[in-house]
Amino acid sequence: MTNLPPPAEELRILDAELRQLDLRRAVLLRRRAWLVHTLRAAAAAPQPAQGTGAAPGGPPAGPATGAAARRPETTAPGVQNVLLVLGGVLLTVAAIAFTLVGWGHLGIAGRSLVLGALTVGALGAPVTLLRRGLRATAEAVSGLATALTVLDAYALHEVAFPGADGVGYTAAASAVLAALWAAYGVRLGLFHPLPLAVATAHLPLLLWAIAVGAGPLPLTAVLLATAAGGSAVALRAVSAPVRVVAVVGALGTGAVGVLSAGWLCWSASDPGSAARAAALLVVAAAVALVTGRFAPNREVAVAAAAAAGLCLVAGSAGVLRVSVPGEWTVPGCQLFAILLLAAERTSLPLPLRQGLVRAAAAVQGFAVLWAVPLVAGSVLGPAVQAVTPWSGAPRTVRDAVFADVPAPAHASTVPLVLAVVAAALVVAGRRTPRRPAVMVVALILGWAAVLVLPVALQLPYTAGLVAQAAVVVAALGLAVRSDRADGGPSPLALTALLLALLTSVDLALLSLASEPATIGVLVTLTVLFGAAGRRPRHAPFTVPAALAHATALACALGASAGLRPPHTALLVLVVPAVAALIASRSSGSRATVPVEVAGAAAGLLALTLAVPDPPMLALVLSLNGVVAAATALRPERRAVGWAAAVLLPAAAWVRLAAWEVGTPEAYSLPVTGPALVVGYLRRRRDTAVSSWTAYGPGLAATLVPSLLAAWDDQHWLRPLLLGVAALAVTLVGARLRLQAPLVLGAGVLALVALHELAPYLTQVVGALPRWVPPALAGLVLLVVGATYEHRLRDARRLREALGRLR
């Protein structure tokens, strides 16, 4: 069955279709006139004579017959339009020059006769031209006629009304000319007079108001009235140019009028003035609604309705501003925006209802933006307490948050504003497919409302801390409940968890103003997040948070006990140990890596605190090394053993440096022993491991520093001990057929021997004649050259023998 629209809607559709048919008929008539003109011109053209390249009755000349057969570079209609426009412009310029320059050379009768004759002739010529089908020429002559009517108006003012006010006369003249051009264009069906009449019709009321000295309020009313007239013309016009001119004029005058009315409403000093300006905004809203009601385009109707809704809210806000305290202006705007939502249950067309709903949503968005400064200050302001911790508890929470900057004015209703928007989103989220996203935004706004409530109400400092702790508990509880309801991780639960973490950081910073508050808050947060970490889904967030708060608690306890930072580092080291224990019990879960990262950060903080005291730094390094070694016992964390291998020797070296020990063996031997043991155990498990990998680092850690020290040592004890050790290493390598001990021991032994023989060699070289060294070198070269092949074979055998070693 066909679903017929209501009679009013069907009538509107039929009127629109008829306007389109009239417009199409006018276009076809203009095309027909041009075709008739073209055919007549072609019939009147002279026929080509004999001998011009075509025989009588024969075919036309081909392309090779000359320049006469070339294709023209422009069309006949184009040439015609250019000539007509140029002629009209030249005639208009001549008329202006005659009026302005040659006017004074004629008497009154002559002036009137000449200008009147020109105007009557220009206005009457298009009638004859249209009868003969010369529409384009008629349009050009009518353009000259409209220009002459303007000159007639100027001439009339100069001759008949020289003392009249210029603005008032211009208003009257523009009204008469607009009516004349409109009637002229409609009567003759010409193209350009109607758009020109519509554009000129926007001037009379405004010029008249200026002429009579109207104030801002009447001028604004005139602008809105002009916009209403332009909207009516735009809705009823058939011609596209007329609609474009009317729309542009209506938008321009309407925008200026609305802005002027808004400024008058918000700058009013008493309720009466504000109400009068608000009445203008109501008029503007009515015009916008009527325009949207009859607009053929759906997007235009929605935009018009949205503009109407904003005008209504702006007018009510201006009245509220001078009628109620300043902090209630924005909540009042919210109330009026909520009233706009009642349009959903009315019989208004769907586009109008959608526009009003969008206006209400825009007002709520502006209200949220108004609340941003207080929310941002409440979140970021407590960070100032970290600069001067434990300086004394302030009287109120606002004093702690806005310690160095002034608090936003009229902000006591910010929690109400945010709560209203959050509640509206919760209600609207039940009927939208984007419910998860809407609920997340509502949760954030509700959290912000509760967070700023102690600041807005200026609660006592202790009450503010308790309120923020309650926010943390509520956010964690909501995260747990959302997970249970959804059966898995949800955006709402994740958002609640992140908000709990953010609030906990804010609470910890806010508590730094007082020593008891700091310790109490950190203990509470550590226990709270530690308990929440028992849920596996939340553990990747809550357990690291608990460790972070425990680290801060350790620092606070050390400072409260009067401990120096290096000694406080021992308290902080409890956190990495606990983190390693938790990670070992939750190995393989998603919380393992975050927990280990939190423990590593606490260990790094302990090292930083212990830097000023070398003995304490050595102890902290060793304890960190123990924790790292314990972590490396887990199969999947073997790589942490490298950290333990660095931390433990570093601890010994720092301790030796604190004792002012300068012997390098004291630093290297504690590394060599464990390294050789580890290498031995590794080769027992895997026989394919090279001796360089197993024993090379450990042997080099002692042999190389000792060799460098012995090279500059003037005593005999160090070289002797190093030589004995190198000989032992060489023999062990030869006995076990290990390449690394054999090569390193033999190399060090040779260098030690060379170092010991160096003084004697120097004496021998100094006692020999100068020709002996070159002679010996030459003899060596001769011997080597004579046995080159044999020596190469021996070198190859030596290399193969070394290669067979492990």
Side-chain angles (χ1 to χ4, degrees):
M1 296 179 64
T2 303
N3 187 13
L4 296 177
E9 183 68 18
E10 185 177 3
L11 179 61
R12 188 184 66 82
I13 295 174
L14 291 178
D15 290 340
E17 293 292 338
L18 290 174
R19 287 196 295 270
Q20 294 295 330
L21 291 175
D22 292 341
L23 178 62
R24 181 60 180 168
R25 183 174 183 277
V27 172
L28 293 177
L29 286 175
R30 287 197 295 270
R31 181 64 179 175
R32 179 183 181 281
W34 178 82
L35 291 174
V36 170
H37 173 72
T38 302
L39 292 175
R40 288 178 179 176
Q47 298 294 330
Q50 296 292 335
T52 59
T65 57
R70 294 177 183 174
R71 186 177 180 178
E73 297 181 355
T74 183
T75 60
V79 174
Q80 167 190 297
N81 292 334
V82 171
L83 294 177
L84 291 176
V85 171
L86 181 60
V89 170
L90 292 177
L91 288 175
T92 303
V93 171
I96 294 174
F98 169 76
T99 304
L100 298 179
V101 179
W103 188 256
H105 301 288
L106 299 175
I108 296 177
R111 301 173 196 172
S112 304
L113 180 63
V114 171
L115 195 54
L118 289 175
T119 303
V120 171
L123 290 174
V127 178
T128 304
L129 293 173
L130 289 174
R131 289 176 181 175
R132 297 186 178 184
L134 303 178
R135 174 169 290 275
T137 306
E139 291 284 354
V141 175
S142 67
L144 173 63
T146 55
L148 288 174
T149 55
V150 176
L151 295 178
D152 287 336
Y154 170 74
L156 185 62
H157 176 268
E158 293 296 324
V159 174
F161 307 102
D165 177 61
V167 179
Y169 181 81
T170 305
S174 60
V176 173
L177 290 176
L180 175 64
W181 292 340
Y184 185 66
V186 171
R187 178 68 180 82
L188 299 182
L190 295 175
F191 180 77
H192 88 279
L194 285 178
L196 188 60
V198 172
T200 308
H202 286 79
L203 300 177
L205 282 178
L206 181 61
L207 294 176
W208 171 79
I210 296 175
V212 299
L217 199 65
L219 281 175
T220 304
V222 165
L223 287 171
L224 295 177
T226 304
S231 301
V233 173
L235 292 174
R236 302 296 300 174
V238 177
S239 174
V242 174
R243 285 202 305 272
V244 170
V245 172
V247 167
V248 172
L251 288 178
T253 54
V256 175
V258 168
L259 292 177
S260 176
W263 178 79
L264 291 174
C265 188
W266 278 85
S267 62
S269 58
D270 58 275
S273 301
R276 286 189 290 272
L280 294 179
L281 289 173
V282 173
V283 171
V287 172
L289 283 176
V290 172
T291 303
R293 172 65 179 82
F294 295 101
N297 189 285
R298 177 181 179 278
E299 287 74 14
V300 173
V302 173
L310 293 177
C311 289
L312 292 174
V313 176
S316 62
V319 176
L320 286 175
R321 192 189 65 84
V322 294
S323 303
V324 298
E327 58 268 17
W328 290 100
T329 302
V330 175
C333 294
Q334 279 190 299
L335 177 60
F336 282 102
I338 293 174
L339 293 177
L340 289 179
L341 296 176
E344 281 284 351
R345 302 184 179 276
T346 62
S347 59
L348 289 174
L350 179 61
L352 297 186
R353 284 181 282 159
Q354 291 178 342
L356 293 175
V357 170
R358 292 183 183 182
V363 173
Q364 304 297 339
F366 290 141
V368 172
L369 290 179
W370 172 76
V372 165
L374 185 63
V375 176
S378 300
V379 174
L380 302 177
V384 180
Q385 300 297 331
V387 180
T388 57
W390 297 354
S391 57
R395 186 176 61 87
T396 64
V397 180
R398 177 177 290 190
D399 296 334
V401 172
F402 296 96
D404 297 333
V405 295
H410 306 302
S412 60
T413 56
V414 167
L416 176 62
V417 170
L418 295 174
V420 169
V421 180
L425 288 176
V426 170
V427 174
R430 299 175 180 175
R431 296 179 296 173
T432 178
R434 300 178 180 178
R435 184 175 182 274
V438 173
M439 297 305 292
V440 166
V441 177
L443 174 60
I444 295 174
L445 293 176
W447 165 81
V450 178
L451 182 70
V452 301
L453 184 61
V455 180
L457 299 181
Q458 300 187 33
L459 295 180
Y461 177 71
T462 305
L465 295 179
V466 173
Q468 287 208 359
V471 173
V472 177
V473 174
L476 288 176
L478 180 61
V480 173
R481 180 182 177 185
S482 299
D483 270 351
R484 289 177 178 175
D486 297 339
S490 64
L492 190 64
L494 181 60
T495 304
L497 196 56
L498 294 177
L499 292 177
L501 295 174
L502 178 60
T503 310
S504 69
V505 174
D506 193 59
L507 176 59
L509 292 173
L510 190 63
S511 68
L512 290 176
S514 172
E515 178 179 348
T518 301
I519 297 175
V521 165
L522 291 176
V523 169
T524 302
L525 292 177
T526 302
V527 173
L528 186 60
F529 281 97
R534 299 178 62 183
R535 296 186 60 84
R537 293 174 183 170
H538 301 156
F541 299 94
T542 54
V543 176
L547 294 175
H549 291 305
T551 303
L553 177 61
C555 295
L557 290 176
S560 178
L563 299 178
R564 296 174 52 244
H567 294 85
T568 305
L570 296 178
L571 296 177
V572 177
L573 281 176
V574 176
V575 177
V578 174
L581 179 61
I582 295 174
S584 64
R585 299 188 61 180
S586 63
S587 180
S589 67
R590 294 185 303 167
T592 302
V593 174
V595 168
E596 291 175 343
V597 171
L604 183 60
L605 176 62
L607 289 176
T608 305
L609 294 174
V611 166
D613 190 348
M616 190 60 64
L617 177 61
L619 179 59
V620 172
L621 284 170
S622 61
L623 293 176
N624 272 320
V626 171
V627 174
T631 304
L633 294 177
R634 292 155 49 197
E636 72 276 9
R637 290 292 183 266
R638 297 298 188 198
V640 184
W642 292 101
V646 172
L647 291 171
L648 291 173
W653 293 346
V654 171
R655 172 59 66 179
L656 292 173
W659 287 340
E660 299 181 356
V661 175
T663 304
E665 288 78 11
Y667 297 88
S668 58
L669 286 176
V671 177
T672 297
L676 293 178
V677 172
V678 172
Y680 173 73
L681 295 176
R682 184 175 182 185
R683 279 182 61 84
R684 285 189 61 182
R685 291 196 307 267
D686 187 4
T687 57
V689 176
S690 171
S691 62
W692 286 102
T693 304
Y695 304 119
L699 293 174
T702 294
L703 293 177
V704 174
S706 297
L707 179 62
L708 296 176
W711 199 261
D712 292 333
D713 197 346
Q714 303 298 326
H715 301 282
W716 58 271
L717 182 59
R718 186 189 300 274
L720 176 61
L721 294 176
L722 180 60
V724 172
L727 178 60
V729 171
T730 303
L731 294 177
V732 171
R735 175 69 180 81
L736 300 177
R737 300 179 61 82
L738 298 176
Q739 190 178 92
L742 181 61
V743 173
L744 289 175
V748 172
L749 182 60
L751 292 175
V752 171
L754 180 61
H755 173 267
E756 294 301 317
L757 293 176
Y760 303 102
L761 293 177
T762 303
Q763 294 178 3
V764 171
V765 172
L768 291 175
R770 294 185 178 181
W771 56 268
V772 174
L776 292 176
L779 182 61
V780 171
L781 290 176
L782 287 175
V783 173
V784 172
T787 60
Y788 182 72
E789 183 178 0
H790 181 68
R791 300 306 176 192
L792 285 178
R793 186 171 61 252
D794 292 343
R796 191 179 302 111
R797 290 176 180 174
L798 177 61
R799 184 183 64 186
E800 291 174 355
L802 288 175
R804 287 193 294 271
L805 298 178
R806 291 173 290 174

